[in-house]
Amino acid sequence: MNAAFPPYQQGTDNFTSRGSPMIDPFGRSVNYLRVSVTDRCDFRCTYCMAENMQFLPKKDLLTLEELERVCSAFIVKGVRKIRLTGGEPLVRKNIMLLVRQLGKRIGFGLDELTLTTNGSQLARHADELYDCGVRRINVSLDTLDPEKFTKVTRWGELAKVMEGIDAALKAGIHVKLNAIALKDFNDIEIPDLLRFAHRCGMDLTLIETMPMGEIDEDRTDRYLPLSKLRADLEKDFTLTDTGHRTGGPARYVRVEETGGRLGFITPMTHNFCESCNRVRLTCTGTLFMCLGQNDAADLRAAVRASSDDGLLSAAIDEAITRKPKGHDFVIDRTHDKPTVARHMSVTGG
Ligand code: SAM
Ligand code: SF4
């Protein structure tokens, strides 16, 4: 047993109760927490990070125990789904200890624990993830071409990610692939990605690039509206709208020719904020109430000020009163500054 985490006894603490949902000023209930467990990553995807990224000093990070404490406070407040993300969540040291602890809350307040990963470390963690109660994960995969994969991730190796996907599927975990749509890079490959995903029983979700953080290139050069991609796909495939939802912002269609599902996440061309149910915690304990805004709450101060959860609970309540109506992402061709200064790896995708 790990000394840092005391054994969890179901039914003997306040975590077994499911709180009533937190309601924001616009009447939306907040029941989904995304947690970026590290800002570090073993890839340097060109649309996400600069090659020489400066990462946070380790002393600024919440410990795994502190992260669990914050997650627990959210579960008590009615959060039913937690997604661990990053940076790359599976490169955080001892991350499986946190996964195991949170997995014990499934059925006791929490409905689902999921993960968004680049897949590089998945082969060695897949069985344990399943054992901890993880049943669905998102794997980011923008291309099936090994050379292009290394080009876009700078440091990644496609074969390792494919091994990871295979291991996850064999472990019994549902895998959804996420691909960023990049003009003149993977647009012509999307039909292949779609066929591959559906052949293996995986959904595929396409995402528009968002202007977050300084990178080494101009994002507007690669920006591809999904409305254009959808129109192109409709030349070869019959796409039927469905009401399917997974708690995230994707809108899904059924692809009649493959029988699989295809999702679209369109923060730039179609604002999905009206149904937003989530908040995002960074690895330093900063809570962002919106991916596309800078306002935030410092939960680390509340965690470290007292071992009693009263302060933390009050800080979360106060933060929820500041959840904004929506984001203001714009593709700005006149300024070279991103709309949001922090990188996606700070708050996770
Ligand atoms: N490292 C993990 C991964 O790649 O899946 C988790 C973190 S990553 C920041 C989460 C998702 O954000 C990935 O699917 C990635 O493609 C996406 N992403 C990164 N930068 C983005 C940007 N500027 N716009 C839109 N999506 C972005
Ligand atoms: Fe790392 Fe994910 Fe960002 Fe790529 S998208 S650099 S894998 S955090």
Side-chain angles (χ1 to χ4, degrees):
M1 190 186 67
N2 182 276
F5 285 106
Y8 176 67
Q9 295 177 339
Q10 289 169 352
T12 58
D13 66 17
N14 60 352
F15 298 133
T16 55
S17 61
R18 175 183 286 174
S20 47
M22 295 175 280
I23 307 291
D24 80 359
F26 302 94
R28 298 167 298 192
S29 80
V30 178
N31 52 27
Y32 184 179
L33 176 69
R34 293 198 181 190
V35 185
S36 175
V37 296
T38 175
D39 64 329
R40 289 167 196 256
C41 188
D42 51 351
F43 290 3
R44 292 288 181 280
C45 301
T46 52
Y47 50 79
C48 178
M49 292 187 181
E51 187 154 23
N52 62 346
M53 280 289 285
Q54 296 297 309
F55 293 110
L56 293 162
K58 293 213 169 105
K59 67 174 175 43
D60 289 352
L61 267 53
L62 290 188
T63 63
L64 294 175
E65 297 79 8
E66 288 170 330
L67 279 171
E68 193 216 351
R69 200 176 140 206
V70 178
C71 290
S72 297
F74 272 99
I75 296 169
V76 168
K77 289 184 168 297
V79 158
R80 297 162 67 159
K81 175 169 170 177
I82 293 180
R83 176 176 298 279
L84 303 182
T85 173
E88 173 46 42
L90 294 178
V91 302
R92 170 111 191 215
K93 198 170 168 205
N94 293 332
I95 187 62
M96 294 311 293
L97 293 176
L98 179 66
V99 175
R100 191 160 291 282
Q101 286 302 108
L102 293 177
K104 291 177 187 170
R105 306 291 161 79
I106 299 169
F108 297 89
L110 199 61
D111 290 343
E112 190 174 32
L113 176 64
T114 61
L115 193 83
T116 298
T117 173
N118 65 22
S120 65
Q121 313 292 318
L122 199 49
R124 64 192 174 97
H125 289 303
D127 286 337
E128 195 176 353
L129 284 169
Y130 185 90
D131 192 50
C132 293
V134 175
R135 295 290 179 269
R136 290 198 306 148
I137 59 172
N138 290 351
V139 178
S140 304
L141 181 65
D142 303 320
T143 172
L144 293 172
D145 177 319
E147 273 174 36
K148 281 168 81 175
F149 185 84
T150 299
K151 199 168 168 205
V152 72
T153 60
R154 291 197 183 101
W155 297 0
E157 202 188 309
L158 180 65
K160 277 202 182 140
V161 174
M162 294 306 234
E163 258 175 56
I165 291 172
D166 194 41
L169 292 172
K170 283 192 175 126
I173 298 174
H174 290 280
V175 178
K176 178 165 80 71
L177 297 185
N178 281 345
I180 302 280
L182 297 166
K183 188 164 75 174
D184 301 329
F185 180 75
N186 64 357
D187 34 3
I188 53 160
E189 263 193 81
I190 300 298
D192 287 343
L193 260 174
L194 181 75
R195 289 190 192 93
F196 164 70
H198 291 180
R199 201 168 54 239
C200 301
M202 302 183 281
D203 288 350
L204 171 69
T205 295
L206 304 173
I207 307 174
E208 287 174 339
T209 72
M210 294 171 237
M212 295 185 69
E214 299 277 359
I215 53 172
D216 298 327
E217 54 187 51
D218 182 354
R219 274 200 186 85
T220 57
D221 290 347
R222 289 273 181 229
Y223 172 67
L224 175 62
L226 290 189
S227 47
K228 159 95 175 61
L229 204 52
R230 180 172 174 156
D232 287 348
L233 283 172
E234 280 177 326
K235 291 175 192 157
D236 295 322
F237 298 97
T238 316
L239 309 182
T240 310
D241 286 314
T242 69
H244 177 75
R245 301 300 303 268
T246 56
R251 300 282 183 277
Y252 285 92
V253 297
R254 190 174 55 252
V255 181
E256 301 299 345
E257 288 74 7
T258 60
R261 260 193 307 251
L262 173 65
F264 295 92
I265 298 184
T266 54
M268 309 304 291
T269 53
H270 173 255
N271 185 310
F272 44 63
C273 305
E274 71 280 356
S275 58
C276 182
N277 58 351
R278 52 204 161 272
V279 287
R280 295 160 193 272
L281 182 74
T282 72
C283 55
T284 57
T286 304
L287 187 74
F288 285 94
M289 288 71 83
C290 173
L291 179 64
Q293 300 279 0
N294 292 318
D295 190 30
D298 179 8
L299 299 188
R300 184 178 60 184
V303 165
R304 293 191 176 164
S306 164
S307 57
D308 181 276
D309 279 344
L311 265 184
L312 176 58
S313 174
I316 294 171
D317 288 343
E318 189 279 326
I320 299 300
T321 67
R322 286 191 275 137
K323 185 164 164 61
K325 193 167 181 197
H327 64 65
D328 302 322
F329 288 132
V330 279
I331 284 291
D332 186 344
R333 293 186 180 276
T334 50
H335 304 94
D336 51 9
K337 289 267 172 255
T339 313
V340 173
R342 64 181 185 278
H343 291 85
M344 185 68 111
S345 49
V346 174
T347 33

